[in-house]
């Protein structure tokens, strides 16, 4: 009878541990996360969501005044730096004891064709979106590796990296580079139990995006090709970011997850 009793005890212990594990899923308590681009719509929504799930959040961005306002609202710790400057990125992030990163900082650039694009604008978009994301990863991961606690990184990419969108030669190219940074980083950092993923959102209609996507000759035709047929909200992007960052996604790394109402399924 002893072996049967032992088996029941082991099964009970396993079930108890499974329940405890499920309770921990999506909980960022005692975990510090850096969110760049924190004063933007998606960035701020992500800050609020992660703090609501128990994370200690460092809110990164260039605008110190807006960061201070976000910090007062949410309790996040403001960290001011310019993504295009390696010196500023290094100084701002290398000393933070981080478990996670959300690379949400970005620059939209211009709407232009390949033949009309301003190469100076192209260079700026690449510098912030692709190079900036890589700089953050470069300077936060040595500390993550040294602490030996694993971690998770989510890069905010775009559906423009997955399909060709008219006028998006600069932005789409920069986000395609972000997706490759995601894949190679996942390959290199997996042995340290650090996962790296991307989310690839569709358009979130804000004052900034309305100048183009709000045009009657642009928006309706775009939405007509999307199965869900509507613009995304900031919270609808923050949710998948939090999921990929969390232990719920503990076996997911190196993916680019479309959050686009089905646009790229066509």
């Amino acid at each position: 009878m002893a072996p049967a009793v032992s088996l029941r005890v082991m099964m009970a212990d396993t079930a108890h541990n499974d329940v405890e594990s499920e309770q921990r899923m999506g909980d960022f308590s005692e975990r510090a996360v850096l969110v760049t681009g924190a004063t933007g719509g998606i960035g701020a929504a992500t800050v609020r969501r992660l703090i609501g799930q128990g994370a200690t959040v460092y809110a990164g961005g260039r605008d110190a005044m807006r960061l201070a306002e976000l910090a007062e609202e949410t309790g996040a710790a403001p960290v001011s730096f310019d993504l295009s400057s390696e010196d500023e990125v290094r100084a701002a992030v290398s000393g933070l004891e981080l478990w996670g990163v959300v690379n949400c900082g970005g620059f939209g650039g211009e709407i232009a064709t390949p033949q009309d694009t301003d190469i100076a604008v192209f260079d700026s978009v690449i510098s912030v979106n692709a190079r900036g994301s890589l700089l953050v990863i470069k300077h936060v991961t040595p500390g993550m590796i040294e602490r030996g606690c694993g971690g998770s990184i989510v890069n905010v990419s775009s559906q423009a990296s997955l399909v060709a969108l008219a006028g998006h030669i600069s932005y789409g190219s920069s986000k395609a580079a972000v997706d490759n940074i995601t894949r190679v980083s996942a390959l290199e950092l997996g042995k340290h139990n650090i996962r790296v993923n991307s989310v690839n959102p569709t358009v979130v209609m804000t004052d900034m995006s309305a100048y183009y996507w709000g045009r009657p000759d642009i928006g309706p035709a775009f939405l007509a090709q999307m199965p869900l047929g509507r613009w995304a909200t900031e919270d609808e992007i923050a949710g998948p970011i939090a999921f990929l960052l969390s232990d719920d996604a503990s076996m997911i790394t190196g993916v680019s997850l479309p959050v686009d109402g089905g646009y790229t399924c066509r």
Side-chain angles (χ1 to χ4, degrees):
M1 297 297 291
V5 172
S6 298
L7 180 60
R8 286 197 297 270
V9 171
M10 290 173 60
M11 292 175 64
D13 287 343
T14 300
H16 177 69
N17 291 336
D18 287 345
V19 170
E20 286 191 333
S21 178
E22 289 174 5
Q23 289 172 339
R24 288 195 299 267
M25 294 298 186
D27 180 8
F28 294 97
S29 298
E30 300 183 5
R31 287 177 169 176
V33 180
L34 169 68
V35 179
T36 71
T39 59
I42 295 173
T46 301
V47 168
R48 296 184 187 102
R49 188 178 191 100
L50 293 177
I51 286 178
Q53 292 179 232
T56 298
V57 175
Y58 293 93
R62 289 191 304 171
D63 191 327
M65 184 174 296
R66 292 179 65 194
L67 285 174
E69 293 171 354
L70 182 65
E72 184 175 359
E73 174 201 340
T74 64
V79 184
S80 182
F81 59 93
D82 185 344
L83 279 172
S84 66
S85 167
E86 181 167 11
D87 289 341
E88 289 194 26
V89 172
R90 181 191 300 109
V93 309
S94 60
L96 301 178
E97 294 191 0
L98 299 172
W99 177 86
V101 176
V102 179
N103 271 316
C104 197
F107 174 46
E110 63 178 350
I111 298 296
T113 64
Q115 64 271 29
D116 296 326
T117 190
D118 182 333
I119 291 300
V121 174
F122 180 92
D123 289 345
S124 294
V125 174
I126 294 291
S127 177
V128 174
N129 295 354
R131 183 174 178 272
S133 296
L134 178 57
L135 284 176
V136 172
I137 293 171
K138 174 182 177 179
H139 290 294
V140 301
T141 52
M144 295 170 73
I145 293 168
E146 182 179 357
R147 285 185 292 278
C149 298
S152 182
I153 298 170
V154 178
N155 297 319
V156 179
S157 182
S158 170
Q159 68 177 11
S161 76
L162 304 174
V163 294
L165 298 181
H168 283 64
I169 186 65
S170 296
Y171 189 74
S173 298
S174 74
K175 293 302 189 177
V178 168
D179 285 348
N180 189 63
I181 289 168
T182 294
R183 290 189 293 270
V184 176
S185 297
L187 179 66
E188 301 283 4
L189 295 170
K191 61 188 175 185
H192 303 291
N193 196 31
I194 298 172
R195 298 180 297 104
V196 188
N197 294 291
S198 293
V199 293
N200 298 62
T202 189
V203 178
V204 174
M205 187 56 73
T206 63
D207 291 341
M208 184 178 297
S209 58
Y211 85 97
Y212 179 72
W213 295 105
R215 286 168 42 180
D217 59 326
I218 299 295
F222 177 82
L223 290 179
Q225 299 179 71
M226 183 189 297
L228 293 187
R230 62 176 177 82
W231 308 114
T233 68
E234 289 94 341
D235 287 335
E236 287 176 319
I237 312 305
I241 290 172
F243 163 69
L244 286 176
L245 198 67
S246 77
D247 289 341
D248 283 334
S250 58
M251 197 57 184
I252 301 175
T253 194
V255 306
S256 297
L257 175 65
V259 188
D260 65 350
Y263 186 90
T264 56
C265 77
R266 299 176 62 86

